[in-house]
Amino acid sequence: MGSVTEIRRGTLQEQTFYEQVGGEETFRRLVHRFYQGVAEDPLLRPMYPEEDLGPAEERFALFLMQYWGGPTTYSDNRGHPRLRMRHAPFTVDRAAHDAWLKHMRDALDDLALPEEHDQTLWKYLTYAAASMINTPD
Ligand code: HEM
């Protein structure tokens, strides 16, 4: 997923996707905007067990940063992601999936990343969201 960048000393170094899109700040902005949508969503908001969405926002941001090649703080704190297992307590049906993706689309639109980066993230997020469905209609 990296691209090759020439750095000053003339050596070649791989740049992760995490770095290409702007690192921690970009992922924090994305996830913060996403949770603003969740906070207002009548279907999704009641699914979140904690009153304060801050800790959930933190976990999700750290997960995405790690996934795209940033620091491994997520797994240092939480262990292996096992995302399907961690979603098992929640009813993730088609409606929840659609609402989740809608807020994610809004958040990505707000970020206004270059088209190629936007598409890379969106493709991953739509694929991951479909794989999280655990309750048939
Ligand atoms: C498809 C609809 C989805 C719904 C309705 C949903 C809902 C939830 C809920 C209710 C939680 C618990 C909040 C918390 O206390 O952390 C959670 C946690 C989490 N979700 Fe989702 N989620 C969805 C899709 C996804 C996708 C596609 C990803 C990854 C790309 C993801 C990543 C995470 C992560 C990393 C956590 C925290 C896991 C941990 O405990 O360490 N979710 N989600």
Side-chain angles (χ1 to χ4, degrees):
M1 68 176 98
S3 74
V4 177
T5 325
E6 194 163 0
I7 59 171
R8 237 182 314 163
R9 294 202 328 280
T11 51
L12 294 172
Q13 188 171 282
E14 280 284 308
Q15 204 186 25
T16 61
F17 183 78
Y18 169 80
E19 290 167 323
Q20 287 176 44
V21 296
E24 176 165 3
E25 193 199 332
T26 298
F27 287 94
R28 291 216 177 263
R29 280 175 55 210
L30 175 70
V31 172
H32 185 67
R33 176 67 181 76
F34 171 74
Y35 271 103
Q36 287 180 333
V38 169
E40 301 294 317
D41 190 294
L43 177 66
L44 295 182
R45 183 61 188 88
M47 288 174 68
Y48 286 78
E50 286 170 299
E51 181 70 31
D52 177 7
L53 287 175
E57 181 175 326
E58 176 75 6
R59 287 188 280 273
F60 190 29
L62 290 177
F63 169 80
L64 288 178
M65 286 159 58
Q66 170 173 306
Y67 181 87
W68 292 105
T72 58
T73 317
Y74 176 83
S75 281
D76 296 345
N77 295 338
R78 305 287 293 164
H80 191 283
R82 295 164 168 272
L83 284 188
R84 266 194 61 88
M85 187 198 78
R86 291 196 205 263
H87 288 76
F90 312 111
T91 302
V92 184
D93 57 11
R94 177 62 53 183
H97 161 277
D98 291 355
W100 193 97
L101 272 182
K102 177 195 171 298
H103 297 301
M104 193 47 86
R105 187 61 257 169
D106 288 348
L108 266 175
D109 286 346
D110 263 23
L111 270 190
L113 292 172
E115 185 63 18
E116 187 196 338
H117 291 154
D118 182 299
Q119 278 183 17
T120 299
L121 273 171
W122 182 241
K123 207 173 143 193
Y124 161 72
L125 290 162
T126 50
Y127 176 84
S131 78
M132 224 59 81
I133 293 176
N134 57 23
T135 309
D137 290 331

